[in-house]
Amino acid sequence: SSGNNHGNEATTKHNRSHSQQTKETRINHYTRPYVDPNYVHLCHVILARNAPMIRHVIASCLHSAQKVIGDYLTAAKKDVNHSESGRGYAF
């Protein structure tokens, strides 16, 4: 097995039985790539520093979505009320 397969190593074994058939067994070994602890710490520090702004942006997006949904529901209710009141007329 070479070091170029990024942690996915396949080993093939051949076993001969009485009828000379070949049996193949694959064994996969999965490993995690090495991550620099200093890089992980740097990412943590940056995320912690930006957390208040990230929270503000997400809260603003949720507030906007809530307002849009509320406006839509109000408009849909008005449409239903107008269509029900218009049923008394025959064309």
Side-chain angles (χ1 to χ4, degrees):
S1 65
S2 66
N4 299 3
N5 58 5
H6 304 289
N8 185 2
E9 178 183 321
T11 305
T12 304
K13 297 178 181 178
H14 295 286
N15 300 325
R16 299 273 180 196
S17 66
H18 291 50
S19 61
Q20 297 292 32
Q21 293 179 345
T22 302
K23 178 181 176 185
E24 180 175 315
T25 305
R26 289 190 161 267
I27 302 170
N28 294 320
H29 301 279
Y30 295 98
T31 59
R32 297 179 129 191
Y34 175 75
V35 178
D36 183 14
N38 291 328
Y39 177 73
V40 173
H41 179 70
L42 176 65
C43 291
H44 177 265
V45 169
I46 291 170
L47 183 61
R49 186 183 329 142
N50 293 331
M53 180 59 71
I54 293 169
R55 280 193 298 270
H56 177 74
V57 169
I58 291 174
S60 296
C61 290
L62 291 174
H63 179 71
S64 297
Q66 181 184 12
K67 184 162 176 41
V68 167
I69 291 169
D71 291 346
Y72 172 78
L73 292 174
T74 302
K77 187 175 181 180
K78 285 181 182 177
D79 285 346
V80 168
N81 289 340
H82 287 296
S83 66
E84 286 177 356
S85 64
R87 288 186 184 166
Y89 298 104
F91 293 102

